[in-house]
């Protein structure tokens, strides 16, 4: 308490010393969080099911933590007949959701400045930005899979109108300590019209080594081609993405490239996702996805297959029922095949007949089954010891288990 009062004079002095041209601006407060409570059929707290060889899991009734993002954005200056200057900030937090007071450090996900409308003609809607930010991310919502996300510290220019679509360039950095660093050049040609309500985006990401001599850092290249079809299935959409990565981008994770990868490491994958919305005659919404990934990475080669679907039936504007079925399979080049299938049934109370409508309350029951290959892989990974799929988890040596609980999810 004494420490807080000592800070007040300092804060007052800083405010008094603000430049004369500083002005009060309205703040845009938005964000996201999910939280709930649950248990497991094996006793104890809620457990979550994820295949060791899969980077993501199907999320309905399968999220054990409290996670949130709190964002404060503002337009701080509008120049007459010139650009508009925005700032963006975001704090993210994740706690295990075990008890009342849980002390965990938050993460600064975004801190950046953006100037929008930096010129005339092709630049009339283009923007300059610098800082740390989410960058033009693409994901599959039902398994929280950000398959194309080059986020983090950087700078760039976006949405230059070239007539046939728009061009964007970003300089990105990833580092591990002071001596290991990758610099990246992300070039995207997006919104290319190819058919009615259909657009194409082509992205090239080139990473080059910027580390001290003697430190392994191969650099890498990544290519993504994505087609998006809108206004289908009653205001739904379809996305189809084909991706290839080599070297540092052989893990196909542009936000967290593999700094110690070999030059010959490479992977490719295809991601299909579709969303449909309720119509007057059928109050049914939902999302489905299919992912196939082939990894040729030293010590981690294999093939990942994932498919899932979440239909939601709306009884009225508030009540709905959701079912989510997800299956993941990973076949390493050496070792046993891993399988995991998860099924969730949920009763939901929300705000509207729309797949994306939030807030929503959920009462759920989840059941999962996995094979001995999945359990052995979890037992052999020190980071997965004690998880639901491992033999040291809440379900012991069993290869199936159930959880139940209540969750709230909201974005605004």
């Amino acid at each position: 308490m004494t420490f807080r009062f000592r800070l007040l004079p300092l804060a007052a002095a800083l405010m008094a010393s603000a430049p004369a041209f500083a002005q009060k601006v309205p703040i845009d407060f938005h964000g996201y969080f999910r939280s709930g409570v649950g248990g497991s059929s094996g006793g104890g707290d809620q457990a979550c099911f994820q295949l060791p060889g899969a980077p993501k899991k199907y999320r309905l009734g399968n999220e054990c933590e409290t996670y949130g993002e709190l964002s404060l954005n503002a337009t701080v200056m509008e120049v007459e007949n010139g650009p508009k200057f925005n700032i963006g900030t975001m704090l993210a937090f994740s706690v295990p959701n075990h008890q009342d007071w849980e002390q965990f450090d938050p993460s600064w996900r975004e801190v950046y400045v953006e100037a929008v409308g930096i010129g005339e003609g092709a630049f009339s809607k283009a923007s300059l930005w610098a800082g740390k930010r989410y960058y033009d991310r693409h994901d599959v919502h039902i398994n929280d899979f950000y398959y194309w996300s080059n986020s983090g510290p950087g700078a760039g220019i976006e949405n230059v109108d070239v007539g046939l679509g728009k061009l964007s360039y970003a300089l990105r950095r990833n580092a591990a300590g002071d001596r290991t660093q990758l610099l990246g050049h992300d070039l995207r040609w997006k919104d290319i019209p190819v058919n009615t309500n259909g657009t194409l985006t082509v992205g090239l990401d080139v990473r080059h080594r910027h580390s001290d001599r003697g430190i392994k850092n191969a650099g890498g290249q990544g290519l993504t081609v994505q087609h998006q079809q809108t206004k289908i299935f009653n205001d739904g959409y379809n996305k189809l993405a084909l991706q290839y990565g080599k070297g540092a981008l052989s893990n196909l994770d542009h936000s967290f490239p593999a700094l110690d990868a070999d030059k010959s490491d490479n992977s490719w994958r295809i991601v299909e996702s579709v969303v449909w919305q309720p119509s007057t005659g059928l109050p049914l919404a939902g999302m489905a996805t299919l992912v196939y990934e082939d990894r040729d990475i030293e010590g981690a080669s294999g093939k990942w297959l994932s498919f899932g679907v979440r239909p939601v039936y709306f009884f009225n504007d508030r009540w709905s029922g959701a079912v989510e079925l997800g299956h993941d399979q990973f076949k390493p080049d050496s070792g046993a095949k891993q399988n995991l299938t998860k099924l969730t049934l949920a009763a939901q109370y929300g705000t509207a007949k729309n797949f994306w409508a939030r807030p929503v309350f959920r009462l759920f029951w989840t059941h999962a089954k996995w094979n001995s290959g999945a359990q052995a892989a979890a037992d052999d990974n020190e980071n997965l010891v004690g998880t639901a799929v491992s033999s040291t988890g809440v379900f012991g040596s069993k290869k199936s288990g159930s959880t139940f609980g209540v969750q709230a999810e909201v974005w605004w």
Side-chain angles (χ1 to χ4, degrees):
M1 186 66 70
T2 302
F3 178 71
R4 184 179 68 182
F5 284 126
R6 286 177 179 173
L7 287 177
L8 290 177
L10 175 61
L14 289 174
M15 294 176 66
S17 63
F21 55 80
Q23 57 180 317
K24 294 182 179 180
V25 296
I27 299 296
D28 176 20
F29 174 53
H30 64 272
Y32 168 86
F33 75 77
R34 60 175 182 263
S35 186
V37 62
S40 300
S41 62
D45 202 359
Q46 179 188 351
C48 284
F49 307 99
Q50 182 171 350
L51 190 72
K56 291 295 179 178
K57 57 183 173 62
Y58 289 90
R59 58 192 297 189
L60 184 66
N62 200 32
E63 294 171 313
C64 296
E65 73 287 339
T66 288
Y67 175 80
E69 296 175 340
L70 302 177
S71 182
L72 296 174
N73 298 338
T75 296
V76 295
M77 182 68 68
E78 290 192 60
V79 180
E80 185 176 357
N81 299 320
K84 178 172 66 175
F85 291 83
N86 303 321
I87 60 169
T89 65
M90 178 183 287
L91 277 173
F93 58 91
S94 181
V95 296
N97 210 32
H98 290 157
Q99 55 194 357
D100 175 20
W101 181 267
E102 295 180 302
Q103 185 68 52
F104 281 79
D105 292 333
S107 171
W108 278 106
R109 302 301 306 275
E110 292 192 298
V111 184
Y112 69 95
V113 178
E114 175 188 45
V116 182
I118 59 175
E120 299 179 352
F123 297 92
S124 61
K125 296 183 179 179
S127 62
L128 290 173
W129 67 274
K132 186 177 183 180
R133 65 174 290 196
Y134 290 165
Y135 185 69
D136 199 6
R137 305 191 306 167
H138 298 270
D139 72 305
V140 180
H141 175 74
I142 60 175
N143 60 351
D144 208 21
F145 181 33
Y146 283 85
Y147 59 89
W148 193 9
S149 172
N150 190 5
S151 300
I157 182 170
E158 279 191 285
N159 299 324
V160 178
D161 191 343
V162 293
L164 190 67
K166 300 173 183 176
L167 283 179
S168 299
Y169 166 77
L171 173 68
R172 278 273 291 107
R173 183 190 69 176
N174 289 92
D178 297 329
R179 302 180 62 208
T180 303
Q181 183 173 240
L182 277 176
L183 290 180
H185 306 277
D186 186 311
L187 183 65
R188 302 193 190 191
W189 184 14
K190 56 187 179 181
D191 297 337
I192 307 169
V194 291
N195 62 290
T196 303
N197 299 322
T199 57
L200 194 69
T201 299
V202 180
L204 177 65
D205 190 350
V206 178
R207 305 296 175 100
H208 63 87
R209 181 182 186 276
H210 193 68
S211 302
D212 285 357
R213 293 181 182 274
I215 295 179
K216 184 177 181 180
N217 189 339
Q221 305 83 38
L223 176 67
T224 298
V225 179
Q226 176 171 277
H227 180 269
Q228 179 167 346
Q229 188 71 38
T230 60
K231 298 183 180 179
I232 61 173
F233 304 121
N234 201 40
D235 201 28
Y237 68 80
N238 186 85
K239 283 186 180 181
L240 176 63
L242 179 63
Q243 299 181 285
Y244 175 80
K246 188 175 181 181
L249 292 178
S250 60
N251 63 355
L252 296 174
D253 189 338
H254 297 250
S255 294
F256 298 96
L259 296 174
D260 59 349
D262 289 331
K263 290 183 178 180
S264 59
D265 289 348
N266 68 92
S267 299
W268 68 271
R269 73 174 167 224
I270 186 169
V271 182
E272 161 71 13
S273 62
V274 60
V275 171
W276 62 94
Q277 293 285 14
S279 65
T280 303
L282 185 62
L284 182 69
M287 186 174 197
T289 186
L290 173 67
V291 181
Y292 180 79
E293 182 174 294
D294 191 332
R295 309 169 190 164
D296 185 7
I297 300 173
E298 184 178 0
S301 294
K303 297 175 176 61
W304 172 44
L305 173 66
S306 180
F307 55 87
V309 61
R310 185 197 294 184
V312 181
Y313 185 86
F314 294 90
F315 300 102
N316 53 44
D317 288 341
R318 299 290 173 264
W319 288 100
S320 63
V323 179
E324 185 177 271
L325 177 65
H327 176 79
D328 284 293
Q329 174 185 295
F330 181 67
K331 179 60 177 74
D333 284 356
S334 59
K337 181 186 295 185
Q338 306 170 27
N339 286 299
L340 186 147
T341 302
K342 187 223 70 158
L343 173 68
T344 297
L345 307 178
Q348 301 187 140
Y349 183 81
T351 60
K353 291 181 180 178
N354 189 293
F355 182 78
W356 304 111
R358 304 292 187 275
V360 64
F361 296 92
R362 300 182 176 115
L363 174 66
F364 65 84
W365 172 82
T366 296
H367 183 72
K369 296 181 66 175
W370 54 95
N371 68 349
S372 56
Q375 190 169 82
D379 289 341
D380 291 340
N381 187 329
E382 62 180 12
N383 295 321
L384 299 179
V385 173
T387 58
V389 179
S390 72
S391 63
T392 55
V394 66
F395 304 108
S397 60
K398 296 179 181 178
K399 299 180 182 63
S400 65
S402 299
T403 62
F404 53 87
V406 179
Q407 185 199 50
E409 183 182 38
V410 60
W411 47 62
W412 69 96

